[in-house]
Amino acid sequence: MAEVIFDHVTRIYPGNDKPSVDDLNLDIKDGEFLVLVGPSGCGKSTTLRMLAGLEEVNKGRILIGGKDVTTMQPKDRDIAMVFQNYALYPHMTVADNMGFALKIAGTPKDEIRKRVEKAAEILDLTEFLDRKPKALSGGQRQRVAMGRAIVREPKVFLMDEPLSNLDAKLRVQTRTQIAALQRQLGVTTLYVTHDQTEALTMGDRIAVIKLGVLQQVGAPTELYDRPANVFVAGFIGSPSMNLNTHPVVNGKAQIGADTMDLPKEALDKLTPEDHNQIVVGFRPEDASLATPDETNAFSLKVVNVEDLGSDGYIYGNIITDDSPAEQSTVMSDQNKLTTIRVNPRVLPKAGDTVKIKVNPAKMHLFAPSTELRLN
Ligand SMILES: Nc1ncnc2c1ncn2[C@@H]1O[C@H](COP(=O)(O)OP(=O)(O)O)[C@@H](O)[C@H]1O
Ligand SMILES: [Mg+2]
């Protein structure tokens, strides 16, 4: 087992002017399951491939178990990788696929058999050991790919979107299995995904990356409850956080004809670069319907409602002076609408105007100039 350290690691691909991974500092603790998450093209695979030794590091160092591996050959790093396309050998049985790396390394036959059988038992593959990959389901193939990594008993597991070839239902089952398996084996794991739900449900900690730059690292609840900037706030959580920029007038956020109180600690951190504006964020579950005369609440023109049985959702436009409510009641992009979770038994109707209040303890406030958290 081993700790993994990225120490100011940068990767610029030949011919690119911008780094694909820019000055990355990341410490994965011994036995930890760390999920690296971000949109497509943000540098996740590049990070993983540098740790595997498949991609050159241009600046900085990578350490595994205290040892500098920055220029070490992949085969000497004692890591095992699970790819998105499982890359199984079609002409080999499950058992041979799983034991192949050990065979290449010259491990004795009985030892290989022992490790393969043990891994097969953990992965519920025992009865399939003599089958070829084409006679397996997608989920079983995925488990063979996992098995191939497990039998090597490596210091570190690297997984690059290993669930993206599975259908939605199987993905949910398999992510639980992988997370449980990792905890059982206790092997340090770097897991890459673009799916924030996978990150939230699987990781001990999550590292969010955008355009090659690390944004925040923390436990799932830390990132959910206290996102460090506007990007993390919008990226983590589904349905996503409502985020809007509003003028600050007399120490309050001006929302159309309404105002919402702002905490002094946040106001004090605004600078002239923010031009008396503030980004107010709140999650759909942290707001609720208010009575029409409620102060410290804002008006929402309802565009669409959803009754999911257990939950109700209202989608609407915040009524402000410069965005008249009528403007976008038709053909609205649901992603740009303000989302509020409500009791499905008291759903308003599309076209209604309702008052919404936000739990003040659950407001997320950011500076427009830096997009950094203020409270
Ligand atoms: N071999 C390469 N040559 C040049 N640019 C590359 C190469 N591989 C990846 N990139 C670029 O680096 C960035 C990060 O890519 P990647 O690490 O694959 O992202 P992710 O895995 O997060 O989707 C992207 O802009 C991509 O186009
Ligand atoms: Mg990738």
Side-chain angles (χ1 to χ4, degrees):
M1 282 201 264
E3 180 186 28
V4 171
I5 295 174
F6 288 88
D7 177 20
H8 294 281
V9 170
T10 295
R11 173 63 179 150
I12 307 178
Y13 286 104
N16 290 5
D17 46 354
K18 280 213 169 121
S20 292
V21 173
D22 194 355
D23 196 28
L24 175 67
N25 289 302
L26 189 59
D27 184 348
I28 312 169
K29 298 192 182 67
D30 187 19
E32 185 175 36
F33 193 136
L34 189 120
V35 179
L36 186 61
V37 67
S40 179
C42 70
K44 303 180 297 294
S45 294
T46 303
T47 302
L48 203 78
R49 290 170 58 80
M50 285 192 289
L51 176 53
L54 302 172
E55 211 66 71
E56 194 188 328
V57 174
N58 300 109
K59 261 186 258 167
R61 300 182 309 157
I62 297 176
L63 292 92
I64 300 177
K67 196 157 151 195
D68 190 334
V69 301
T70 315
T71 56
M72 198 183 269
Q73 289 297 310
K75 63 177 171 50
D76 300 326
R77 295 188 184 204
D78 203 1
I79 50 126
M81 203 154 165
V82 181
F83 298 94
Q84 174 176 345
N85 61 357
Y86 318 127
L88 302 177
Y89 299 107
H91 58 285
M92 286 185 201
T93 63
V94 167
D96 289 344
N97 264 289
M98 280 166 66
F100 188 66
L102 298 180
K103 189 174 162 188
I104 295 294
T107 312
K109 264 198 169 138
D110 333 342
E111 174 69 15
I112 297 179
R113 192 72 206 173
K114 215 172 76 193
R115 289 207 214 169
V116 166
E117 279 172 5
K118 189 172 143 210
E121 202 182 306
I122 296 173
L123 293 161
D124 208 6
L125 287 170
T126 306
E127 58 185 300
F128 306 111
L129 281 175
D130 296 324
R131 284 204 197 169
K132 300 272 173 66
K134 71 170 185 305
L136 298 176
S137 72
Q140 289 160 346
R141 276 181 219 160
Q142 204 284 330
R143 300 214 295 281
V144 176
M146 289 291 299
R148 204 172 36 181
I150 290 173
V151 297
R152 296 178 54 192
E153 301 177 356
K155 283 205 185 107
V156 185
F157 284 134
L158 307 183
M159 305 189 193
D160 195 348
E161 315 233 9
L163 304 184
S164 36
N165 284 346
L166 303 179
D167 65 53
K169 190 168 166 222
L170 200 53
R171 213 157 44 221
V172 172
Q173 287 171 6
T174 312
R175 78 181 183 220
T176 317
Q177 286 167 357
I178 291 182
L181 183 65
Q182 192 276 340
R183 260 123 221 170
Q184 184 186 341
L185 298 172
V187 176
T188 311
T189 301
L190 179 57
Y191 182 104
V192 159
T193 179
H194 64 274
D195 180 343
Q196 61 84 35
T197 311
E198 254 174 53
L200 282 173
T201 53
M202 296 178 82
D204 293 320
R205 285 190 306 154
I206 303 173
V208 181
I209 181 169
K210 174 196 173 192
L211 296 172
V213 180
L214 186 64
Q215 305 289 306
Q216 187 175 6
V217 189
T221 47
E222 278 172 53
L223 267 62
Y224 194 83
D225 292 343
R226 288 189 57 81
N229 61 35
V230 172
F231 178 78
V232 176
F235 189 76
I236 297 287
S238 174
S240 49
M241 186 188 290
N242 300 297
L243 288 159
N244 283 295
T245 307
H246 299 288
V248 177
V249 180
N250 298 326
K252 294 173 186 233
Q254 186 76 40
I255 307 180
D258 305 300
T259 59
M260 240 171 26
D261 293 343
L262 295 169
K264 187 168 179 306
E265 69 158 323
L267 290 168
D268 286 348
K269 286 189 203 149
L270 287 172
T271 65
E273 282 75 53
D274 297 315
H275 302 290
N276 286 317
Q277 304 233 309
I278 192 163
V279 179
V280 177
F282 61 93
R283 299 200 180 275
E285 68 268 28
D286 295 328
S288 53
L289 291 172
T291 54
D293 57 351
E294 181 112 12
T295 56
N296 201 29
F298 61 86
S299 300
L300 189 78
K301 177 90 174 175
V302 179
V303 174
N304 189 16
V305 295
E306 275 177 4
D307 182 351
L308 305 179
S310 58
D311 288 313
Y313 284 98
I314 304 175
Y315 302 92
N317 284 304
I318 293 179
I319 301 175
T320 62
D321 299 333
D322 48 4
S323 72
E326 315 310 324
Q327 194 182 344
S328 44
T329 45
V330 205
M331 295 285 291
S332 289
D333 173 358
Q334 193 125 308
N335 295 323
K336 291 196 182 120
L337 297 172
T338 294
T339 307
I340 314 288
R341 191 176 78 185
V342 294
N343 179 348
R345 304 289 171 260
V346 293
L347 272 180
K349 284 189 278 301
D352 288 356
T353 297
V354 292
K355 269 272 160 99
I356 301 294
K357 62 181 174 191
V358 178
N359 178 349
K362 298 293 182 80
M363 273 209 292
H364 304 264
L365 302 166
F366 304 95
S369 58
T370 59
E371 303 202 340
L372 294 177
R373 186 179 190 92
L374 295 167
N375 64 328

